[in-house]
Amino acid sequence: YCAEEKYVKQERVKMLCAIGTLKANQFTEWRKERLADSIRFAQGPALVTAFRNFIDRPSDPVCSNAVQRMLDLNRKGDFYQNALMISLAGEILASAAPVAEPLQTTTVQAVERSLKKCAPALSGIYRCQAGHVHIDAAAPVCDEAGKPVAAFILRADASDFLYPLIRFWPTDSPSAETLLARREGDEVVFLNDVRFSAGAALSMRFPIDQKSLPAVQAVLGVRGIFEGKDYRG
């Protein structure tokens, strides 16, 4: 019995490690694609020209219409929830879709990193006032001298692709799932909806001293296999 128990655990560990590596690679590719889209569109000659003309002549309807068309095109249909033009001060200058609220702090920070490094940057996962979970990719729009004149944002809805990617499990299992979590102060926060609790994304939290929780161990830097209690106890 002991030998069989050890063998079963070893097999489960191998499976978890393999699927964990697969998931990490999938998330990495998803992230790289969002960053690549943002910088590729932000450096496109047509978009750069439209943005620069709009900054020079914001009241000119021809310039504003050109910016609006570029933002609409760069949404790739409905692949992105929105595309936005942001000033160097972090204000929304134009948007492909109506915007009902100012930029979230995590998006402002991504814009600041993007402008400072002249490179694309990804925001944290956040929930908007309408209840949707988003993640933003920001990229600088530069002039001929390479100096940023504005920022370009592509806004992705997590429920369109990221959350389905997280939920998918490649083998038949009544309990297996993938979790994304981050530390906020003295708490660990779950970033995605979980299998056994609806609406958990960004609302399910646990104290950081609950050391039996694998998510707590993960945000504390623990790597490898850990046996503990899940979020249901």
Side-chain angles (χ1 to χ4, degrees), residues 18-205:
I19 295 176
T21 300
L22 171 66
K23 289 290 183 179
N25 290 337
Q26 289 176 330
F27 297 153
T28 299
E29 287 304 311
W30 184 89
R31 180 180 185 277
K32 286 168 61 178
E33 288 171 1
R34 304 291 76 73
L35 293 173
D37 275 354
S38 67
I39 194 65
R40 183 171 67 252
F41 296 154
Q43 292 180 348
L47 185 142
V48 172
T49 300
F51 276 28
R52 288 169 59 185
N53 290 340
F54 179 78
I55 291 172
D56 294 337
R57 303 186 299 276
S59 59
D60 187 337
V62 174
C63 296
S64 59
N65 289 337
V67 164
Q68 196 67 38
R69 285 197 303 272
M70 291 307 305
L71 292 176
D72 289 338
L73 286 172
N74 287 328
R75 280 184 66 192
K76 295 170 66 174
D78 289 330
F79 187 86
Y80 287 101
Q81 191 272 335
N82 204 356
L84 305 96
M85 176 185 180
I86 310 299
S87 72
L88 297 180
E91 299 173 344
I92 299 175
L93 299 178
S95 172
V99 178
E101 59 187 284
L103 297 180
Q104 296 272 343
T105 300
T106 182
T107 301
V108 173
Q109 292 171 345
V111 170
E112 291 174 347
R113 293 196 310 272
S114 173
L115 294 174
K116 183 178 180 180
K117 297 182 179 180
C118 277
L122 212 60
S123 75
I125 296 175
Y126 66 92
R127 188 182 297 278
C128 70
Q129 293 177 358
H132 302 291
V133 179
H134 294 143
I135 185 166
D136 295 337
V141 179
C142 301
D143 60 17
E144 294 175 350
K147 181 180 179 181
V149 295
F152 173 67
I153 286 180
L154 285 176
R155 177 163 294 166
D157 193 321
S159 62
D160 287 341
F161 184 78
L162 181 61
Y163 281 178
L165 176 65
I166 294 172
R167 282 195 300 270
F168 174 74
W169 195 263
T171 63
D172 184 30
S173 171
S175 62
E177 60 181 326
T178 307
L179 306 173
L180 290 184
R182 70 175 174 228
R183 181 173 181 172
E184 292 184 3
D186 294 329
E187 294 180 317
V188 61
V189 183
F190 284 63
L191 304 181
N192 62 297
D193 287 328
V194 297
R195 187 168 185 169
F196 301 103
S197 181
L202 299 171
S203 61
M204 180 176 284
R205 297 168 177 265

